[in-house]
Amino acid sequence: MKNVKIENLSFAYPDEPEKLVLDHIDLNVEPGDFVCLLGQSGCGKSTFLRLIAGLERPTAGTIKIAGEEITGAGLDRSVVFQDYGLFPWMTAGDNIMLALKQKFPKEDKRKLKETALKMLTEVGLKEEVFQKLPKELSGGMKQRCAIARSFSIDPPYLLMDEPFGALDAVTRAKLQDMILELWAKREPKKTVFFVTHDVDEALLLASRICVFGQSPSKIIYECTIPEEMKPNRETLYEDAEIMKLRTQLIRYINQDVTEHIEP
Ligand SMILES: Nc1ncnc2c1ncn2[C@@H]1O[C@H](COP(=O)(O)OP(=O)(O)O)[C@@H](O)[C@H]1O
Ligand SMILES: [Mg+2]
């Protein structure tokens, strides 16, 4: 069982030990789940993702993957950040190659380049993008590269932190469709943790949605969206059940907002 089991997880940043960011979180995620983590800005979604990535250590509680407690970052978990996380001094291709070399240190370089080029095509980019520096690419293209890098090493767990948050609406829609397609066509399916504050994005992508409350954060609401109920871009605003769920999610996200209005 390659499930991700989070038990009794609490977290405070070491420089502010008295301020609990996450408070007793329990979550068991099955392999192949597409989990959207929804919540207001500042509620601790990125912190939660960083803990699963192994970039922070729990203050209390455990995170186990396939029964093993995680002790740090690993090539089984790839992270896609909102700001793309590409090294600006390297070409798009070299950014992907770097990840590939880490994962397959003994593999022939030409073979790795083939994989990188194939991956670029799969995310809808031309092969010539391989030679371009990130600054020569649009935001959408940079994020496609970052996604190509993540998928190229084929990690069973994919962690995405508001990856489309900085993109315009049309580009965002295209990338949402792309990520769903990439996820759906690979077997076994990757387990995805996808952070967003956009309810419609969560409804379009998720097989499961967890809503985080305000600080200290807990999971205050959870639902699963079975395959047969999953909306597409057209039915998102037509299906009565989805409309009801959207209202419910917005209500949960906003329920304690008045108590936490930022100055
Ligand atoms: N490196 C850090 N050191 C101290 N506090 C932090 C750090 N990063 C985030 N925080 C605090 O932790 C809380 C949760 O932040 P974050 O996880 O970024 O929320 P979200 O991703 O939901 O917007 C916020 O109050 C934020 O100010
Ligand atoms: Mg965040």
Side-chain angles (χ1 to χ4, degrees):
M1 278 300 284
K2 295 203 160 211
N3 63 328
V4 179
K5 197 166 175 63
I6 294 153
E7 278 181 304
N8 239 328
L9 174 71
S10 294
F11 181 79
Y13 281 97
D15 54 348
E16 281 185 279
E18 73 294 343
K19 184 187 146 196
L20 214 50
V21 175
L22 301 171
D23 186 18
H24 286 89
I25 293 187
D26 287 305
L27 182 66
N28 184 31
V29 172
E30 296 300 332
D33 265 352
F34 197 124
V35 185
C36 278
L37 311 168
L38 249 185
Q40 293 266 337
S41 171
C43 74
K45 304 180 298 295
S46 296
T47 303
F48 183 70
L49 211 67
R50 290 174 59 79
L51 281 153
I52 302 173
L55 303 172
E56 306 286 352
R57 305 282 304 133
T59 306
T62 55
I63 303 174
K64 288 183 185 159
I65 293 185
E68 292 270 328
E69 198 166 346
I70 59 169
T71 53
L75 286 166
D76 61 335
R77 282 155 284 145
S78 185
V79 192
V80 178
F81 298 99
Q82 181 174 336
D83 64 359
Y84 324 117
L86 299 169
F87 292 118
W89 61 89
M90 280 185 190
T91 63
D94 283 343
N95 268 285
I96 301 173
M97 290 290 282
L98 185 69
L100 281 167
K101 282 182 209 155
Q102 266 184 305
K103 175 88 183 211
F104 309 106
K106 293 197 181 122
E107 190 59 273
D108 178 52
K109 221 175 134 189
R110 248 186 339 190
K111 206 139 179 232
L112 294 183
K113 187 168 177 186
E114 252 172 56
T115 309
L117 286 170
K118 202 168 136 231
M119 211 47 244
L120 277 180
T121 318
E122 209 180 338
V123 298
L125 293 172
K126 296 202 173 101
E127 289 198 353
E128 66 207 41
V129 170
F130 192 93
Q131 303 298 347
K132 302 259 194 230
L133 285 169
K135 69 175 181 201
E136 300 175 277
L137 304 173
S138 69
M141 291 164 92
K142 278 188 267 214
Q143 200 53 295
R144 284 179 196 266
C145 281
I147 291 167
R149 177 177 59 186
S150 280
F151 272 80
S152 69
I153 61 167
D154 201 22
Y157 309 96
L158 190 60
L159 315 177
M160 306 185 88
D161 193 356
E162 309 215 31
F164 311 142
L167 305 175
D168 66 88
V170 174
T171 308
R172 191 183 317 147
K174 284 185 187 160
L175 272 102
Q176 285 166 346
D177 290 348
M178 186 196 79
I179 202 74
L180 260 190
E181 201 181 306
L182 281 175
W183 173 75
K185 76 181 181 194
R186 277 174 167 69
E187 285 298 340
K189 285 201 177 49
K190 297 189 187 311
T191 309
V192 183
F193 290 87
F194 187 107
V195 167
T196 181
H197 59 256
D198 178 343
V199 174
D200 287 340
E201 183 165 70
L203 286 168
L204 272 173
L205 298 178
S207 60
R208 183 170 176 192
I209 298 178
C210 298
V211 180
F212 282 68
Q214 290 286 331
S215 67
S217 193
K218 289 173 180 294
I219 295 175
I220 54 171
Y221 179 75
E222 252 196 83
C223 63
T224 54
I225 305 182
E227 193 56 42
E228 61 277 10
M229 188 183 154
K230 202 159 169 162
N232 59 35
R233 230 166 267 291
E234 268 106 66
T235 57
L236 187 62
Y237 299 104
E238 289 165 6
D239 186 289
E241 226 175 331
I242 293 294
M243 308 261 272
K244 208 168 124 198
L245 183 54
R246 176 189 294 106
T247 309
Q248 184 97 321
L249 289 167
I250 292 172
R251 211 168 269 154
Y252 273 106
I253 292 172
N254 291 334
Q255 77 170 12
D256 52 0
V257 72
T258 45
E259 297 158 33
H260 292 92
I261 296 215
E262 287 176 16

